[in-house]
Amino acid sequence: MELVALHISPTFVRESFLTARHNKPSVFLHYVRIRYEKSRFRFEARKAGSRCWNPNKISRLDFIQQELERNSVIEDSEEEASISGDEESFLSLSEKPDRYMALLDEYELEELDFASHANHRSGYVAVLGKPNVGKSTLANQMIGQKLSIVTDKPQTTRHRVLGICSGPEYQMILYDTPGVIEKKMHKLDSMMMKNVRSAALNADCVIVLVDACKVPEKIDEVLEEGVGDNKCKLPTLLVLNKKDMIKPGEIAKKLEWYEKFTDVDEVIPVSAKFGHGVDDVKDWILSKLPTGPPYYPKDIVSEHPERFFVAELIREKIFMQYRNEVPYACQVNVVSYKTRPTAKDFIEVEIVVEKDSQKIILIGKGGKALKILATAARLDIEDFLQKKVFLEVQVKVKENWRQDEGLLRYYGYGGQIQAL
C-alpha cells in the first residue's frame, strides 16, 4: 500500500517532518495527500499493484497530476476502510513508501542527480535486542541526533521509532524497537512485541544488540520474537555494545563465543555511548542494502510528527524523576499543538496514569513535583524544536489503560502514528 496526492502547508509540514539539525525547517513537497472538506486531510491507502511512476515514460509532475485526477473522487466506503474510524489521520509504520514517491518534483530529482549515483543504496534496518542493551543510543549515534529517548531503566522505548540516516550515496531507515521481553504482563507488552515483529517485515537487514558486560547468551529468543520466519533470509549483524566497560581481553573472548554459538553473519564490538565502532556498523549495513533511490527526502531524520517527540521527551523526564512502577504506568499524549507566529507555541499535554495514588505522586505536594517535571521537559523540548514554547501539563486517571486495546491503538501502539 502507498500514500497518494498532494498539499503544501507550512504548518502541516513542520508538524509532520523533522529536518536535520544543521538545516532550518523548510516547506517541501512530500507525500501526496487528499484534501477532505476544508480543514482535514486523509490518507488514501492504495493496494499493491497500483501504478508507479516510470521516469522513462512520463515526467514526475505529469504523473502526479494524473494521480490527482484519477483519485479526485473517493468512495466513502473505501475511505472508511483505509482509516481506523477516528477523525484524525493515521500513518502506518508497517508499509514501505514507494521509492519514487519520496521526491515529488523534477527540481529535486535533478538536484540529487540519480543518474550519477547509480550505486545509491537505501533500505530498512531492524534494530533488535533485549531491554537496556543500548538500541536507542546506537540509533541516535547513527542518525547524529537524539530521536529515541534514553534512560538507565529497562523498557524505556515503547514505540517503534523510525529514524532516517542519509548521506550523498545512501539512506538507511532505522527501526529502533522496544526491548524483547519474555513475560508479557499487560496488553501493552503484547502489542509492543507485535511491533517488534512487524519491524522486520520491511527490513533488508537486522542488527541484534547484546550487552558486553553480561555473560554471553544465545540470541535465538530475540531473533524469534523480532524476525520469526525471516531469520534465515535476512542478513544479521550482532553488535556487542558497551565495550568501553570491559577489558580488551574479555571483548576478544566474548567475540569468539558469539561467532561460534550464534548464527549471524558478523559480530562487531562497539561503544554506542561514545560512538566507537559505529562507523563499522554503518559500513556493514551499507554492504547489505539494495541499490536504488531514497525512500524519503534527504533533509529529514524521521517520519514521526514533532508532537510524537514532544511526548517522548516528557516521558523520558518521568522515567528520570520518578521510581518503581509510576513511569511504566504513564502514557503521555499531546492534546493540542498550536503554532503562534507572534508568541510562543502552545503545547497542551496530558499524562495518563492508572490509579489516583500514581496521580498524587506525579503531582507532588502543592504541585511541586509536576512543576519540576514540566520545567525540565520544556527546556528539552525547546532545545529539540529550536524555539520557545508554552507547555501545559495535566494528569488524568484511566484505570487499566495498559489492558485496553482500543485505547492502546489510539495511543499509537497498533503500528500507526497520528499524522496530524
Side-chain angles (χ1 to χ4, degrees):
M1 300 170 74
E2 81 185 63
L3 306 175
V4 228
L6 155 65
H7 179 72
I8 306 175
S9 165
T11 301
F12 183 79
V13 173
R14 191 189 64 77
E15 191 57 12
S16 301
F17 289 96
L18 297 172
T19 57
R21 270 297 170 87
H22 58 274
N23 292 330
K24 296 291 183 182
S26 59
V27 180
F28 50 84
L29 291 166
H30 47 89
Y31 289 110
V32 175
R33 300 182 185 260
I34 303 294
R35 187 72 184 262
Y36 182 83
E37 295 179 348
K38 291 185 178 179
S39 59
R40 287 187 305 189
F41 295 85
R42 296 280 191 178
F43 290 108
E44 181 198 4
R46 292 201 314 192
K47 297 180 180 179
S50 59
R51 296 188 305 171
C52 294
W53 171 51
N54 184 338
N56 296 321
K57 293 183 178 180
I58 186 173
S59 74
R60 187 64 176 149
L61 294 177
D62 289 341
F63 172 77
I64 293 169
Q65 184 61 37
Q66 288 183 12
E67 289 296 287
L68 286 170
E69 293 172 357
R70 192 165 68 92
N71 293 285
S72 59
V73 179
I74 303 175
E75 296 293 335
D76 290 341
S77 59
E78 292 181 358
E79 182 182 358
E80 291 303 319
S82 66
I83 306 167
S84 61
D86 192 84
E87 287 194 354
E88 301 225 325
S89 295
F90 286 83
L91 178 62
S92 173
L93 292 177
S94 301
E95 302 293 337
K96 276 187 180 180
D98 186 334
R99 288 177 188 262
Y100 295 100
M101 290 297 287
L103 302 170
L104 296 184
D105 62 30
E106 293 171 333
Y107 173 78
E108 287 175 312
L109 289 171
E110 183 180 352
E111 185 180 44
L112 287 173
D113 191 13
F114 288 134
S116 64
H117 292 293
N119 295 322
H120 186 280
R121 293 178 177 271
S122 62
Y124 282 70
V125 184
V127 183
L128 309 176
K130 291 189 174 182
N132 222 25
V133 295
K135 299 183 299 297
S136 297
T137 305
L138 177 65
N140 289 341
Q141 281 282 7
M142 293 178 66
I143 295 165
Q145 182 174 335
K146 181 180 176 180
L147 292 183
S148 299
I149 61 175
V150 178
T151 74
D152 58 358
K153 293 182 174 67
Q155 210 62 30
T156 302
T157 301
R158 284 180 181 168
H159 294 272
R160 185 179 48 196
V161 181
L162 184 150
I164 304 168
C165 177
S166 298
E169 296 185 356
Y170 68 87
Q171 184 175 85
M172 296 181 287
I173 299 106
L174 306 176
Y175 273 139
D176 178 20
T177 62
V180 173
I181 53 177
E182 276 186 67
K183 190 175 180 181
K184 303 171 182 65
M185 299 179 62
H186 304 91
K187 186 68 177 178
L188 171 62
D189 298 331
S190 300
M191 294 182 75
M192 284 163 55
M193 291 307 98
K194 185 177 179 181
N195 283 335
V196 172
R197 288 190 294 273
S198 62
L201 294 177
N202 290 329
D204 296 290
C205 61
V206 174
I207 296 176
V208 179
L209 268 74
V210 295
D211 191 337
C213 299
K214 295 183 178 179
V215 176
E217 58 181 353
K218 291 190 176 181
I219 59 171
D220 295 347
E221 176 194 337
V222 174
L223 287 175
E224 184 64 33
E225 190 70 56
V227 183
D229 296 335
N230 291 330
K231 62 183 178 181
C232 298
K233 305 173 186 177
L234 296 174
T236 304
L237 170 68
L238 191 143
V239 174
L240 188 63
N241 191 26
K242 306 182 184 179
K243 73 172 187 176
D244 55 294
M245 300 179 69
I246 62 174
K247 297 178 180 179
E250 287 296 312
I251 295 175
K253 290 179 183 178
K254 292 182 178 182
L255 279 173
E256 183 179 357
W257 190 94
Y258 279 112
E259 287 172 348
K260 184 176 181 179
F261 294 105
T262 58
D263 185 19
V264 295
D265 296 290
E266 193 172 341
V267 182
I268 297 177
V270 306
S271 170
K273 182 177 181 180
F274 297 103
H276 302 156
V278 173
D279 286 340
D280 295 332
V281 174
K282 279 188 175 183
D283 290 340
W284 183 89
I285 293 172
L286 289 176
S287 70
K288 306 302 178 184
L289 296 184
T291 56
Y295 286 91
Y296 299 94
K298 288 293 188 79
D299 60 347
I300 67 170
V301 293
S302 184
E303 194 178 41
H304 292 284
E306 287 178 351
R307 61 174 59 204
F308 171 84
F309 294 102
V310 167
E312 286 291 277
L313 287 171
I314 295 171
R315 201 164 61 81
E316 179 184 55
K317 293 298 174 285
I318 294 173
F319 268 89
M320 295 172 68
Q321 185 172 328
Y322 300 92
R323 298 178 181 178
N324 302 326
E325 174 64 13
V326 172
Y328 297 96
C330 291
Q331 165 65 26
V332 181
N333 304 315
V334 176
V335 178
S336 177
Y337 189 129
K338 296 180 181 177
T339 302
R340 301 188 293 191
T342 59
K344 296 178 181 179
D345 284 5
F346 175 78
I347 304 175
E348 181 184 356
V349 172
E350 66 175 15
I351 301 175
V352 178
V353 294
E354 293 185 314
K355 303 175 183 177
D356 286 323
S357 59
Q358 296 164 349
K359 178 178 179 179
I360 292 171
I361 293 172
L362 271 174
I363 294 174
K365 187 176 181 180
K368 184 177 179 181
L370 186 63
K371 184 177 180 180
I372 293 172
L373 171 69
T375 300
R378 178 180 56 78
L379 292 174
D380 267 19
I381 291 168
E382 289 178 341
D383 181 61
F384 182 78
L385 298 176
Q386 292 293 289
K387 65 189 307 183
K388 296 291 184 180
V389 301
F390 180 87
L391 180 64
E392 183 179 291
V393 182
Q394 298 180 352
V395 183
K396 298 182 179 180
V397 178
K398 292 186 180 178
E399 293 184 4
N400 296 320
W401 68 263
R402 285 181 286 181
Q403 297 285 23
D404 189 325
E405 185 171 348
L407 270 180
L408 291 170
R409 289 187 179 279
Y410 180 75
Y411 292 157
Y413 297 103
Q416 294 179 318
I417 56 173
Q418 291 189 27
L420 292 178

